[in-house]
Amino acid sequence: MNRGGSSPSAAANYLLCTNCRKVLRKDKRIRVSQPLTRGPSAFIPEKEVVQANTVDERTNFLVEEYSTSGRLDNITQVMSLHTQYLESFLRSQFYMLRMDGPLPLPHRHYIAIMAAARHQCSYLINMHVDEFLKTGGIAEWLNGLEYVPQRLKNLNEINKLLAHRPWLITKEHIQKLVKTGENNWSLPELVHAVVLLAHYHALASFVFGSGINPERDPEISNGFRLISVNNFCVCDLANDNNIENASLTGSNFGIVDSLSELEALMDRMKRLREEREDEEASQEEMTTRFEKEKKESLFVVSGDTFHSFPHSDFEDDMIITSDVSRYIEDPGFGYEDFARRGEEHLPTFRAQDYTWENHGFSLVNRLYSDIGHLLDEKFRMVYNLTYNTMATHEDVDTTTLRRALFNYVHCMFGIRYDDYDYGEVNQLLERSLKVYIKTVTCYPERTTKRMYDSYWRQFKHSEKVHVNLLLMEARMQAELLYALRAITRHLT
Amino acid sequence: AMEKMSRVTTALGGSALTGRTMHCHLDAPANAISVCRDAAQVVVAGRSIFKIYAIEDEQFVEKLNLRVGRKPSLNLSCADVVWHQMDENLLATAATNGVVVTWNLGRPSRNKQDQLFTEHKRTVNKVCFHPTEAHVLLSGSQDGFMKCFDLRRKDSVSTFSGEAPEAGRADGEVLWVCHRPPDVFPESTKKVGLEVSTPPSRPPRLGRRQACDSSPQSLQGLPPWLLSLLEPLTFSPHGPPPAGQSESVRDVQFSIRDYFTFASTFENGNVQLWDIRRPDRCERMFTAHNGPVFCCDWHPEDRGWLATGGRDKMVKVWDMTTHRAKEVHCVQTIASVARVKWRPECRHHLATCSMMVDHNIYVWDVRRPFVPAAMFEEHRDVTTGIAWRHPHDPSFLLSGSKDSTLCQHLFRDASQPVERANPEGLCYGLFGDLAFAAKESLVATESGRKPYAGDRRHPIFFKRKLDPAEPFVGLASSALSVFEIEPGSGSMSWFVDTAERYALAGRPLAELCDHNAKVARELGRNQVAQTWTMLRIIYCSPGLASATSLNHSVGKGSSCGVPLMNSFNLKDMAPGLGSETRLDRSKGDTRSDTVLLDSSATLITNEDNEETEGSDVPADYLLGDVEGEEEELYLLDPEHAHPEEPEYVLPQEAFPLRHEIVDTPPGPEHLQDKADSPHVSGSEADAASLAPVDSSFSLISIPHALYDTRLPPDFFSALVCDMLRFYAEQGDVQMAVSVLIVLGERVRKDIDEQTQEHWYASYIDLLQRFCLWNVSNQVVKLSTSRAISCLNQASTTLHVNCSHCKRPMSSRGWVCDRCHRCASMCAVCHHVVKGLFVWCQGCSHGGHLQHIMKWLEGSSHCPAGCGHLCEYS
């Protein structure tokens, strides 16, 4: 607390002139290639987003109230397609970055940088490098993890696990952080850090999943030239789709096909609702279905990955992202399929035994007051958000579809709902969508426009953003559940 | 009829239960427990456990494992279990996969599973049997529906939707007002059947009814009101689910007294009251908690009372008989409330356990919501299920936990937090009233110990009237005393005035006494005035050498008010401390209100009623009486906790002391802190400090010879000392110290050093709290006690900031390390000032002390040429 309070003033004491800061910032920022499209997203045509924005005063109001940077960034622009959600998102984000909390402000941003770095999300890194310096962070820290205090450095392990294999987090990890003498974390601090990490891992998924473009540099506002050397999306580099983009999105060839796809999907949804109790699957079968989904998720991307990522592309990635890797250790550590680890070692996480509503909330709120309510509201919001539309159809109950998306994400993290029939996932989520989900939640940095375009071709962009929101929150909740469960076990 | 049924309990009826506090290990964590009506068996259910244990006197004995079959099915993964209170063979479980299962222990086969209801789409959180109706089962699920089953039929008889009537959260207190008084249900069930069977919107579905008729179970056993519901109503599971979101149901409980009523609680904080015959809409709905309501329980006797527990860590008791549900009690716990169960035979008691973090079970008296009446601490992980063993025995509680144990707790073995409670409290009111609660026993002994408290004691003394029904009587009752401040006397202006106007030195004793007597009289403090006059008579009677007037005390520094002078040593700057005063005041202010009140309580004048002058105001008695009590309070004050602490530590001074101060003993630590002179920059420790100007000066008082043959003043000294002690005792330490100073050697020797020190310390403390820095400094200087007079020597360092870069100058006082400039230049010689620097407070120019003095002798203008008319005095 104390440090949090004093840091800003410390910053004021050691003012840097604007010029120095600019230089510094340029230096610390990740150098990246020029974005390929205009507008806030590389995946969504500018007019789709901007159109929505001009109408919306609510968004502007929200930005004024809750944005830390004070301007309408690209994430907010894209999210503002769902204003209702945007509000809870910004409120919780603002709370964890700016309001009372156990961690000092610059630490919060540094943790955000660490989290984003796990997915090489330079967009978020750059954003928080700025904020870090603005809140009085020590510029030296930006040289990399070896320059930060041991205490922050200790967070690296949990950051790594949380980002890629949260199911491996045990109470021993928590103990290691909490009981290390002078560098220890207090539980409230740790919970704050965990919330930040989970938030920014998930947000990285959203950034890549929605192809968020780098910010235009506000300092040069001639409006046309995109300044930026400051940003990139790995997706832009990794995919080779400058030209084919257009053809894919606008193309007519899939229309007939996709229309029937849509009809089929809606039909399946309807059937699921109606026929449920007629064919009551046996317990064994239910279990098998879950395992099957889990296993299948194993192959879902791996196959596809190698299509879209020729080996050479990966190497390019590595070179470019070396800038990023200074914030992390063990950059090679990535998502490993939960299924592959083998059930005998890691028991499935039974959702009913540790739910957000009953357990996670209470713990979070106890240690970091009020964040629980904000997160709770955000989760409820995203889970219940619906416009009762599907593509061109109106008045559709999309509950089953939304639940399938949410539970599928949890399934990939090894969280199983007793009361869910995982057969539904198979019926509702087509393969291309599964590929997309898996990529966005597990290795978001590999998301390509092709993946984004290839599923639900007839759906609106706002609906795809909606999907991204669901994926993001489901991922965040999964990470939080694992981390909080470990903390609970540490406490008992 | 209902009354009778609810009384029907068990065969054990009157015979008392026996047993002890015990536990047994289960193979797996429990999620819920339920007791058989014979009070001799308990069922434990969890994700991978479902067993019945017999409760014997010494131990639990496993009686039956209901989890049979090779492959564990999810249907056996229980979220809740309930044992029918009418039928010993009947149990129901709620499975995490949404299935409701009933079990018939009377089945001959190993598998006792009876029926399977798979209508819920999500986890079923709660199942509940009707308290009197044998075949009616209610379930509440995560999918937002409650279903009522008749166990003789394959499907639910009716479905209730937790969906808010208007989409969105219900924020209003009552959205649905009862359309009839809830407790007056028509006895004629036929009439009810008619009433309900004709909702306008319901299409006839004869097919289903026929199907029912053809089922092997005869419908004759069905209550008529259930018959009327055989047709699925509005929210049937077969129809399309309603638009809008339904809220997850966390608990459902049939009312024990009202045959048709049940309550349900929801994840969004709402509680609904339903009539089982009206599935189309709830009778009433209100928001009970912020966040999910995890549990509810109807009071076993009080028909209208419903207890609810929520994630917001509260247990609330609602009175449902009124038009709007009224919150009658609220208990704040330390963690989310997972279960709540009324304690049998104890109208105001209920047991709770928590969902997270807290592993204990508490029994609360709802009227005393701050301290649990009892606490069971056996479990090592969260308690998931609690049940009173017998509906009429308040002393046996059973519990299951995530730590895989099943416990029987005996009330007599419970720990009682109240025993560890500290029933003492102290609080000031807005206007200086003081309330003080202490254990009665303590108060009694305390007052008994005071010899003078007896007759003069007349405090405003409230004793809380204790309700004999209350649980904590005798355990932790405390007496509350309230000390009121006389209107107007709350102000301490007399203290401030007195302190400022008293003359303590520098004049003959007689004059001092006269002056002080006059001051006291003007302030209406007649007794004090009288005392001064008497002192004058005693010590300055005409026969005595009045001319001697040897009582001079001349502080060297005291006369020179040096406003122009900047010294880095502050110790002799008593009168004109510019910045110091300001800074210290800000420090003092933070404490000043408490001080004000504190001292007003301790320093109230009570001299008047000591004398018999007749000047007493009745209210004064009040205050005088309070004094006796004050003593304890005074001692409680941490500031005075160790007033006579003999060990002193003086932090190393940052500058070399030039003269005999070295042998001045350091002051007591706690005083020193207060006397800490502020650091101007408040940062680095060793700042520029220059040679101290002068030593403190102690009072020179020469005892004069006694020429007279009349009673010598020595004759009175014992009396005078008693008088001083009396004043100090009364809290008027000001008087004690003033007299001590004025009389000097005449009385000093008769009072022991420590007492004197204590008085000085207290008085100085008070003065400083009132920001009377000058007076305080004067007192310090005039004191003869070494421990006190050295206070002026402590922390005389002044930190300075560079005038250019505004940063603290850390090593030397005249050159800034950062900007490498000399901060203080002499306006006369234009050289750096390394010693005493004096500057004008008007124009802030200055320089060497000598130079400036010289300059100002010749000119009244500032040497820097700024045109300011500087003054040097």
Side-chain angles (χ1 to χ4, degrees), chain B residues 573-860:
Chain B
M573 296 285 290
L577 295 172
S579 59
E580 185 197 33
T581 315
R582 239 175 294 124
L583 273 158
D584 245 352
R585 180 164 297 147
S586 68
K587 190 166 105 196
D589 273 350
T590 59
R591 292 191 200 137
S592 63
D593 13 43
T594 43
V595 179
L596 184 76
L597 300 168
D598 183 26
S599 39
S600 68
T602 52
L603 290 175
I604 285 158
T605 61
N606 69 323
E607 298 86 341
D608 291 354
N609 43 27
E610 184 69 11
E611 300 295 308
T612 48
E613 312 282 305
S615 61
D616 308 68
V617 187
D620 265 353
Y621 269 122
L622 207 94
L623 292 159
D625 294 334
V626 166
E627 300 296 325
E629 194 69 14
E630 282 307 324
E631 279 280 303
E632 322 163 20
L633 297 172
Y634 190 73
L635 289 173
L636 285 172
D637 187 344
E639 295 291 326
H640 302 285
H642 308 287
E644 284 149 45
E645 190 74 58
E647 279 136 17
Y648 311 126
V649 184
L650 178 70
Q652 202 58 48
E653 292 296 339
F655 55 88
L657 298 175
R658 211 164 51 177
H659 32 102
E660 74 283 357
I661 306 164
V662 243
D663 43 316
T664 315
E669 202 170 17
H670 69 281
L671 282 168
Q672 198 166 330
D673 290 344
K674 262 161 257 148
D676 239 8
S677 76
H679 290 181
V680 174
S681 73
S683 62
E684 283 93 326
D686 49 346
S689 63
L690 298 173
V693 178
D694 214 337
S695 72
S696 72
F697 196 82
S698 45
L699 172 81
I700 305 171
S701 57
I702 302 163
H704 49 87
L706 303 167
Y707 303 109
D708 205 84
T709 50
R710 289 166 25 173
L711 283 175
D714 271 347
F715 177 83
F716 298 102
S717 60
L719 202 62
V720 172
C721 290
D722 279 351
M723 184 266 296
L724 291 186
R725 286 204 190 87
F726 165 79
Y727 277 115
E729 202 101 306
Q730 294 303 312
D732 191 359
V733 75
Q734 181 178 48
M735 183 66 182
V737 172
S738 301
V739 173
L740 196 61
I741 291 174
V742 168
L743 293 182
E745 289 297 334
R746 296 178 188 89
V747 288
R748 211 169 61 204
K749 55 185 185 301
D750 297 320
I751 298 167
D752 69 293
E753 192 76 3
Q754 286 214 329
T755 313
Q756 289 190 37
E757 251 175 65
H758 184 193
W759 291 349
Y760 274 117
S762 313
Y763 187 41
I764 289 165
D765 185 24
L766 275 171
L767 289 171
Q768 291 184 344
R769 288 176 184 225
F770 280 97
C771 302
L772 297 162
W773 313 110
N774 295 350
V775 183
S776 129
N777 244 16
Q778 200 191 359
V779 170
V780 170
K781 242 161 63 178
L782 294 174
S783 79
T784 47
S785 160
R786 295 191 134 190
I788 299 300
S789 57
C790 76
L791 284 179
N792 267 358
Q793 308 302 322
S795 297
T796 47
T797 312
L798 184 67
H799 298 268
V800 288
N801 282 0
C802 171
S803 56
H804 298 291
C805 65
K806 308 283 189 281
R807 300 229 176 93
M809 302 207 285
S810 48
S811 58
R812 284 156 298 175
W814 53 90
V815 178
C816 176
D817 286 339
R818 289 200 175 73
C819 53
H820 302 292
R821 288 215 267 194
C822 295
S824 36
M825 305 288 283
C826 177
V828 180
C829 68
H830 299 285
H831 284 336
V832 181
V833 186
K834 293 187 179 175
L836 287 178
F837 185 76
V838 68
W839 80 86
C840 170
Q841 290 176 338
C843 65
S844 68
H845 290 114
H848 292 105
L849 178 60
Q850 278 78 13
H851 293 169
I852 298 289
M853 279 166 75
K854 220 181 218 166
W855 177 272
L856 289 173
E857 277 168 16
S859 163
S860 57

Side-chain angles (χ1 to χ4, degrees), chain B residues 5-6 8-9 35-37 83-90 129-135:
Chain B
M5 278 191 280
S6 68
V8 173
T9 49
V35 192
C36 177
R37 70 164 180 168
W83 206 321
H84 204 296
Q85 290 306 299
M86 302 291 293
D87 183 347
E88 289 177 24
N89 280 331
L90 197 53
F129 279 114
H130 194 277
T132 51
E133 198 61 61
H135 304 284

Side-chain angles (χ1 to χ4, degrees), chain B residues 527-570:
Chain B
Q527 193 196 351
V528 175
Q530 205 63 252
T531 309
W532 282 113
T533 314
M534 283 161 71
L535 284 174
R536 182 181 184 279
I537 294 168
I538 293 170
Y539 290 98
C540 310
S541 49
L544 296 177
S546 58
T548 46
S549 65
L550 287 170
N551 197 12
H552 286 300
S553 76
V554 185
K556 273 193 214 159
S558 67
S559 57
C560 61
V562 239
L564 254 175
M565 151 136 182
N566 166 41
S567 163
F568 290 93
N569 184 319
L570 295 172

Side-chain angles (χ1 to χ4, degrees), chain B residues 164-179:
Chain B
E166 281 97 336
R169 295 167 74 107
D171 289 317
E173 160 74 354
V174 177
L175 285 181
W176 294 97
V177 182
C178 280
H179 50 267

